[in-house]
């Protein structure tokens, strides 16, 4: 029976990379790249081949193997596994690169910064302090070849081959026998002087001086070159001179050297070193200190190395969120670091955290997520959005904080392309209908209209037919002037989604009613839209063959291409609250007084269309209205029934959250009302009015910012408007008609509901009073006259 010996190298759980060695440092070891067979994770493998006649070198290699296995410190090369056979030694460590190769690569790309070098030298000195002060060990091999760099840019001290005890146990220092390494020995070792007065760290601190010289000036040609500091920073030169002084007694202890360099104005006193030191001790820091650190971290990340952000800052951020209850403060630095990740890494590390954050009840967390959604939306797939994110986001529509409601509306611009049929055409439209009709904040109603216009192309054909015309018509009757402007622009932006019949019978009558609006900005936009729709109708009238081409998108399925301009709104959807509303208000400085000129909600404002239409057209309109589904005819379900009983309040943004004050965004770019709307041939002109203006223009003279308005109550207008009286007369004379635009069946708002309830309660009290009086009279009559001799009781 034959037995075959197993090959230990073949059974080793790590394998060498087929690539040649990375550039082995001077000494017996050769450095190879490798990977773990089970997981494929990268490692570094130091290989020593046992050669006959080199017993002394073999003993040095075995001693280094043993030292590396037993020494554990964050700044010393981390040991993972090892293999010792008669033919070779394998030492597996974390994946590292020799310092010389790392500095060369960083210099060639121009990414090497002084703060990286300061932190790297800080780590090496800290490792020497650990060896000398805590372990009483002399490294005896500090040089460029003994330093390695991991994937996060952290410097690690290796090269433990010639280490010996400072207490004299086990004999003196081993002989190196490598000329390249002996040139770093201090002068006192060569001439034998100063042995009685030197400290145990003196030799290693001299070698540290050699390492500093090489880091800034390249390979050390000879010891005499140390007299010239060369490119060593001025803040480091005094401390460097102490290291390479001829008197070994005055060379500082590694701990004191660190203290000197960390003094104010010192080489190691910078934001990068402070950040690293805080991250090393973050587990023992107080929660208040962590909050302050993460708040300030975002400002510094742009100047930090990319590898450091990916491999050191990111794990700490994820840990702080998962176990440290850091909250919303980690979001900004987390998404900044996420920009450095590949799509696969983002899916693995960031997306699970984002999904978990959306389920948080912390309002600060939710509003930060909504504001920064643009930074991570492209990494979220549709199933994740529909099943794990959207169900949590929709709660924001019902939030009592106006800032969260508005940010939720704006986030729909980014989420809409990824929503499924049910969430987009049913659930979202239900919330939009409620917000546009019932929200007490004018800017929120305005932004709901804007968002609907931007996502209209994603809706199904039946939903578009049922929703868009009714929604934009409702917006044109809003007491908030920017909302009326948004309704006009909504019709314009979705012009290709309406049939010619709808344009003539439904849209134009609404727009014509706005030609006598108290606000000139509303009138201007209404006239431009009317001219455009009329031009479109006229072109089809002249050439009926164009009808099919003009209406090609009316019954088409949802088409993202139609809403391509939505990308230009992404910045608005996630930066600042009420940015769009601010721009509209700046363009219409009398928006607040206009709200007092227009009747408070609900405003039926039945736009009479009898003189616009013939009797036959009125009949057709009535038939179309009965056939078409209206937005509010659907059973949208109960949405916060309690909210219907809350008293209507004026728009008071001072209590709407820190990011919902219009004054904060009143310096937004000014939207000119004179955009090109005159021709239907220029299709881009319809989307142009929806895009952000390129350079911000100063407001015209006399324009008032949004923050200057009295949002809490009515304010008399300083400037008379000849159309205001006309509008008031028109509203007083307007009566509900079967064919008017006031029968869109939008739900009654708080004001009408409150008045109706008060009237009903008054009638009930009156009826109750009459019933009680009748009962008293009946009871008195039933008793009859009092009998003689009986006493009347008081």
């Amino acid at each position: 029976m034959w037995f075959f010996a197993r090959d230990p190298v073949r059974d080793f759980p790590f394998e060498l990379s087929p690539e040649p060695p990375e550039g082995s440092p001077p000494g017996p070891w050769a450095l190879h790249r490798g990977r773990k067979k089970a997981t494929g994770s990268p490692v570094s493998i130091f290989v020593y081949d046992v050669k006959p006649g080199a017993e002394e070198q073999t003993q040095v290699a075995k001693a280094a193997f043993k030292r590396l296995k037993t020494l554990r410190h964050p700044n010393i090369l981390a040991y993972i596994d090892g293999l010792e056979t008669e033919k070779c030694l394998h030492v597996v460590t974390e994946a590292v690169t020799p310092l010389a190769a790392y500095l060369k690569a960083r210099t060639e790309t121009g990414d090497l910064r002084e703060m990286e070098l300061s932190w790297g030298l800080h780590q090496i000195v800290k490792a020497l302090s650990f060896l000398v002060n805590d372990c009483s060990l002399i490294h005896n091999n500090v040089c460029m070849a003994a330093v390695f760099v991991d994937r996060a840019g952290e410097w690690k001290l290796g090269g433990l081959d010639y280490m010996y005890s400072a207490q004299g146990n086990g004999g003196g220092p081993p002989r190196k026998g490598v000329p390249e390494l002996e040139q770093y020995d201090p002068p006192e070792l060569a001439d034998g002087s100063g042995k009685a007065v030197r400290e145990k760290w003196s030799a290693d601190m001299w070698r540290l001086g050699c390492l500093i010289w090489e880091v800034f000036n390249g390979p050390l040609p000879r010891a005499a070159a140390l007299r010239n500091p060369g490119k060593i920073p001025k803040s480091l030169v005094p401390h460097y001179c102490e290291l390479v002084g001829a008197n070994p007694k005055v060379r500082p202890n590694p701990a004191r050297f660190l203290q000197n360099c960390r003094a104010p104005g010192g080489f190691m006193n910078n934001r990068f070193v402070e950040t690293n030191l805080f991250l090393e001790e973050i587990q023992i820091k107080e929660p208040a200190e962590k909050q302050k650190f993460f708040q300030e971290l975002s400002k510094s990340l742009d100047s930090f190395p990319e590898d450091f952000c990916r491999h050191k800052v990111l794990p700490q951020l994820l840990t702080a969120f998962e176990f440290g209850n850091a909250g919303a403060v980690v979001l900004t630095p987390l998404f900044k670091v996420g920009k450095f990740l590949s799509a696969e890494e983002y899916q693995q590390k960031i997306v699970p955290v984002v999904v978990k954050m959306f389920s948080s009840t912390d309002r600060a967390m939710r509003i930060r997520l909504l504001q920064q959604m643009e930074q991570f939306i492209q990494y979220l797939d549709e199933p994740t959005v529909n099943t794990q994110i959207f169900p949590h986001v929709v709660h924001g529509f019902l939030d009592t904080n106006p800032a969260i409601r508005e940010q939720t509306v704006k986030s729909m611009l980014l989420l809409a392309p990824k929503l499924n049929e049910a969430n987009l055409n049913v659930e979202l439209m239900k919330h939009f209908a409620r917000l546009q009709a019932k929200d007490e904040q004018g800017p929120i109603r305005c932004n709901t209209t804007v968002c609907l216009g931007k996502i209209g192309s994603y809706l199904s054909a039946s939903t578009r037919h049922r929703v868009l015309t009714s929604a934009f018509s409702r917006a044109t009757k809003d007491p908030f002037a920017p909302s009326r402007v948004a309704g006009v622009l909504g019709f314009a932006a979705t012009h290709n989604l309406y049939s010619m019949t709808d344009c003539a019978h439904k849209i134009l009558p609404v727009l014509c009613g706005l030609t006598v609006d108290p606000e000139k900005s509303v009138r201007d936009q209404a006239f431009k839209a009317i001219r455009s729709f009329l031009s479109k109708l006229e072109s089809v009238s002249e050439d009926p063959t164009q009808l099919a081409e003009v209406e090609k998108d009316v019954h088409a399925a949802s088409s993202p291409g139609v809403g391509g301009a939505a990308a230009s709104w992404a910045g608005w959807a996630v930066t600042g609250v009420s940015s769009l509303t601010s721009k509209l208000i700046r363009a219409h400085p009398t928006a607040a007084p206009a709200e007092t000129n227009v009747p408070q909600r609900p405003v039926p404002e039945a736009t009479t269309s009898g003189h616009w239409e013939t009797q036959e057209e009125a009949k057709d309109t009535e038939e179309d209205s009965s056939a078409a589904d209206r937005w509010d005819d659907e059973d949208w379900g109960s949405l916060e029934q309690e909210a219907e009983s809350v008293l209507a309040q004026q728009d008071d943004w001072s209590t709407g959250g820190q990011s919902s004050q219009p004054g904060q965004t009143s310096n937004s770019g000014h939207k000119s009302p004179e955009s090109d709307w005159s021709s239907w041939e220029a299709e881009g002109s319809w989307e142009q009015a929806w895009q952000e203006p390129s350079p911000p223009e100063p407001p015209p003279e006399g324009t008032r910012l949004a923050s200057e308005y009295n949002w809490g109550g009515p304010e008399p207008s300083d400037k008379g408007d000849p159309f205001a009286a006309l509008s008031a007369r028109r509203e007083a004379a307007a009566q509900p008609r079967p064919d008017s635009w006031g029968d869109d069946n939008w739900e009654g708002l708080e004001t009408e509901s409150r008045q109706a309830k008060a009237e009903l309660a008054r009638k009930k009290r009156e009826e109750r009073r009459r019933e009680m009086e009748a009962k008293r009279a009946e009871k008195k009559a039933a008793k009859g006259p009092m009998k003689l001799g009986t006493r009347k009781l008081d």
Side-chain angles (χ1 to χ4, degrees), residues 331 335 346 354 358 366-380 385 389-390 393 407-416 418 570 573-575:
L331 286 179
F335 293 138
Y346 204 102
V354 169
F358 269 108
R366 289 160 56 193
I367 200 166
R368 290 277 186 89
L369 282 171
L370 296 174
Q371 289 172 342
Q372 303 185 52
M373 186 177 290
E374 187 182 19
Q375 302 187 33
F376 58 83
I377 187 64
Q378 66 268 28
Y379 299 104
L380 302 177
V385 170
I389 292 181
F390 183 76
V393 172
Q407 286 299 332
T408 304
V409 170
K410 294 177 179 180
S411 68
M412 292 302 110
L413 291 178
L414 301 171
L415 289 177
K418 297 178 180 287
V574 296
T575 57

Side-chain angles (χ1 to χ4, degrees), residues 692-773:
E692 297 279 357
S694 43
E697 300 177 3
E701 185 176 358
T703 300
R704 297 163 59 194
L705 300 181
S707 58
E708 298 174 8
Y709 283 95
N710 178 18
W711 295 97
E715 177 185 66
S717 177
D718 298 333
K719 181 179 179 182
D721 192 332
F723 285 93
L726 178 61
S727 176
R729 290 196 301 270
R730 177 175 60 85
E731 291 161 5
Q735 297 296 332
R737 295 172 39 163
D739 60 345
S740 73
W741 285 92
D743 62 352
D744 278 343
N745 289 338
W746 289 87
E747 295 183 16
L749 304 181
E750 286 86 348
T751 304
E752 185 181 37
S753 176
R754 194 164 60 252
Q755 294 173 353
K757 289 180 178 179
E759 181 67 19
L760 182 60
R762 187 186 64 79
K763 291 180 179 180
K764 287 184 177 180
R765 287 195 301 271
E766 186 66 21
E767 292 176 0
R768 180 64 175 170
R769 185 181 62 81
R770 287 196 294 265
E771 290 178 1
M772 294 298 295
E773 291 178 354

Side-chain angles (χ1 to χ4, degrees), residues 76 119 256 271 296 405 412 426 464 508 703 721 789:
I76 294 179
W119 174 241
R256 188 167 70 86
R271 177 62 180 165
E296 299 175 351
R405 295 202 304 275
M412 292 302 110
V426 179
R464 292 198 302 261
L508 278 175
T703 300
D721 192 332

